[in-house]
Amino acid sequence: MKKFLISFIAFLVLLSTSVCANAHGWRGGYGGGWRGGWAPFAAGAVVGAVVAHSYYRPAPIYYGPPAYYYPPQNVAAFCPENGLYYPQTQACPSGWQRVITN
């Protein structure tokens, strides 16, 4: 809806500047020419900049939730049946025991 409204306003501004430029009519004949000045071109440039800005706006930046830092816990897995910790043995039939190390 916003883009349509901006485009419609731009159309009305361009239409009004062209009507104002042609208000004095064509100074016809073989030696005459259009003497509308620079106003319609300036208005067109301004309206063009507004329309281009409305269509080519940069994407919004979204920030994620803050990352919380959890220090590594000193926990190891101990197998009481083998008497070994996890890296030394891969299986523990009786179940692993968590041990807090310092």
Side-chain angles (χ1 to χ4, degrees):
M1 181 67 187
K2 185 178 180 181
K3 290 181 182 180
F4 173 76
L5 182 63
I6 291 173
S7 299
F8 183 70
I9 290 172
F11 172 75
L12 288 179
V13 169
L14 287 174
L15 184 65
S16 66
T17 57
S18 66
V19 170
C20 292
N22 293 327
H24 297 291
W26 180 264
R27 300 184 193 273
Y30 290 103
W34 178 64
R35 293 188 171 99
W38 57 271
F41 299 110
V46 169
V47 170
V50 169
V51 170
H53 179 68
S54 67
Y55 279 105
Y56 300 109
R57 192 171 294 160
I61 299 172
Y62 295 106
Y63 295 100
Y68 295 105
Y69 174 72
Y70 293 108
Q73 297 179 358
N74 298 330
V75 177
F78 178 72
C79 182
E81 186 175 325
N82 296 341
L84 298 172
Y85 288 94
Y86 169 71
Q88 288 86 19
T89 181
Q90 298 293 321
C92 185
S94 62
W96 295 99
Q97 223 178 19
R98 288 189 166 197
V99 179
I100 298 174
T101 61
N102 289 335

